[in-house]
Amino acid sequence: MKALVISGGGSKGAFAGGVAEYLMRELGHEYQLFLGSSTGSLLIPHLSMGDIDTVKYIYTHVKQSDIFSLNPFIKRKKEGREYVTINYLNTVLQFIKKRRTFGESKNLRKTIVKYFSIDDFENAKCCGKDIIVTVSNLTKNEVEYKSIQDFEYEDFVDWIWISCNLVPFMSLVRKNNCEYADGGFGSLVPIREAIRRGATDIDAIILEAENMEHNKVLGKNPFSLMMNLFGFMLDQVEKHDIREGKLAAIHQKVKLNLYYTPSKLTENSLIFDKKLMAQWWKDGYQYAETKNVENRVEFERTSY
């Protein structure tokens, strides 16, 4: 069984979309299992139906207002690099309302409903493929994997939305008497889950460079420093997931193809810039094309 796994990565999901477009349209890869975490959970429902054009439109036109109902960020640029500062007004409003997060992402759920209708849900559910999204149950301190086959439309939309909520910058969601947040907190690259569910051939798109080529610019205030700390934590989760996935693939004799970003795309993946994301989609497509050519040349060289 062939599986497509897409990691978390916020706005960098546009790069994953470009890679997936090349794999599916140019190489003709057909997947029976789709697993995503965070932004990967947004991509996989449409990809499972082969509806690449819709997901491409979403990822090349989305704006901050399509994600945040209350945005905790103000974007700045210095010496050609992005960094963020706190939106003090919105943060104060959250404190006044006695909320536990700096921002709210209710608009993201509305965006999901706008582009993923009940008919889309039924088509995805009946297409003979399984779609799995990853969420973190903070109440039980567990990672949970939610299959489209186990839920009706409203519930599954909730799980997609929850999978993308990087707390405390986005909404903390209470569902089934538990509080849930971004799937990336516990499983950023769910390769092992794909293997556990029977995958024998996996394409995994990892929305981070394999080797960091530059030093990070640490935040100048507590808020932006917190973003750096979250980035560090998620990097460690990602490395652990990949290492465990590789070991499981070797043990189970699973073919595993890893697609990293060739360079660092952004310092803050919660900033959604249409122009940048359109470019990242193109970059992802070209990267997958180049990687495939290099792999083919290497295979032909070693075959003689």
Side-chain angles (χ1 to χ4, degrees):
M1 180 167 59
K2 194 169 182 63
L4 178 65
V5 174
I6 303 179
S7 81
S11 58
K12 295 183 290 184
F15 184 92
V19 174
E21 180 181 12
Y22 182 83
L23 295 178
M24 296 175 72
R25 282 187 170 165
E26 299 301 324
L27 298 187
H29 287 191
E30 294 185 1
Y31 304 99
Q32 293 74 50
L33 181 61
F34 292 79
L35 284 96
S37 185
S38 197
T39 197
S41 296
L42 290 175
L43 286 156
I44 58 175
H46 287 287
L47 292 177
S48 70
M49 298 182 288
D51 190 4
I52 297 171
D53 291 337
T54 295
V55 77
K56 184 176 183 178
Y57 179 86
I58 297 168
Y59 270 84
T60 56
H61 289 80
V62 70
K63 309 181 296 295
Q64 291 292 103
S65 59
D66 295 320
I67 308 297
F68 292 99
S69 48
L70 191 143
N71 190 352
F73 302 115
I74 297 176
K75 184 173 70 169
R76 306 288 191 204
K77 278 191 176 181
K78 185 176 181 180
E79 297 177 356
R81 298 180 71 174
E82 295 176 359
Y83 68 100
V84 294
T85 60
I86 188 171
N87 186 323
Y88 290 101
L89 176 61
N90 285 350
T91 302
V92 169
L93 287 174
Q94 287 294 86
F95 278 111
I96 291 173
K97 295 176 183 178
K98 297 182 180 180
R99 302 287 172 80
R100 289 180 289 170
T101 58
F102 295 116
E104 296 287 347
S105 57
K106 294 176 182 177
N107 286 359
L108 174 58
R109 194 185 188 285
K110 294 177 182 177
T111 299
I112 295 170
V113 170
K114 179 180 178 180
Y115 292 104
F116 185 60
S117 67
I118 294 178
D119 288 341
D120 292 330
F121 170 80
E122 294 297 340
N123 289 336
K125 193 171 184 177
C126 298
C127 68
K129 301 169 184 177
D130 205 358
I131 304 166
I132 314 292
V133 302
T134 309
V135 296
S136 296
N137 187 330
L138 302 184
T139 302
K140 295 184 177 181
N141 201 32
E142 294 177 350
V143 178
E144 296 177 3
Y145 300 95
K146 306 297 184 179
S147 167
I148 193 172
Q149 302 301 327
D150 298 330
F151 300 96
E152 296 304 317
Y153 177 70
E154 292 294 334
D155 282 331
F156 195 65
V157 167
D158 279 344
W159 294 128
I160 295 172
W161 174 47
I162 288 167
S163 181
C164 304
N165 280 335
L166 186 64
V167 174
F169 310 105
M170 302 172 79
S171 298
L172 178 66
V173 182
R174 187 168 186 82
K175 189 173 178 67
N176 301 337
N177 296 318
C178 293
E179 291 183 305
Y180 286 91
D182 195 300
F185 284 128
S187 180
L188 194 63
V189 193
I191 296 170
R192 285 194 68 185
E193 183 65 15
I195 295 172
R196 191 184 73 81
R197 290 176 181 264
T200 55
D201 187 350
I202 301 173
D203 289 332
I205 304 174
I206 301 162
L207 295 172
E208 191 58 84
E210 188 169 8
N211 299 298
M212 195 172 79
E213 299 174 353
H214 66 276
N215 295 328
K216 276 185 169 289
V217 177
L218 295 182
K220 301 297 184 181
N221 59 63
F223 186 80
S224 56
L225 180 59
M226 186 185 299
M227 284 296 301
N228 294 137
L229 294 175
F230 268 78
F232 175 82
M233 178 195 72
L234 293 176
D235 283 348
Q236 303 313 303
V237 173
E238 178 184 81
K239 291 175 182 177
H240 174 269
D241 289 344
I242 295 169
R243 183 167 56 249
E244 292 294 310
K246 286 180 177 178
L247 290 174
I250 293 170
H251 181 70
Q252 299 292 333
K253 297 182 180 179
V254 172
K255 182 180 179 182
L256 178 60
N257 307 299
L258 301 178
Y259 295 85
Y260 292 90
T261 63
S263 61
K264 183 78 173 179
L265 297 180
T266 179
E267 295 286 354
N268 184 356
S269 61
L270 293 182
I271 297 297
F272 297 85
D273 184 303
K274 293 191 294 183
K275 185 177 179 180
L276 280 176
M277 293 172 72
Q279 183 59 52
W280 293 343
W281 189 288
K282 293 178 183 177
D283 292 344
Y285 186 95
Q286 292 170 357
Y287 167 75
E289 182 178 35
T290 300
K291 182 178 175 67
N292 180 65
V293 170
E294 291 175 348
N295 288 346
R296 186 166 63 245
V297 169
E298 178 63 19
F299 175 78
E300 290 174 354
R301 185 185 66 83
T302 56
S303 296
Y304 290 104

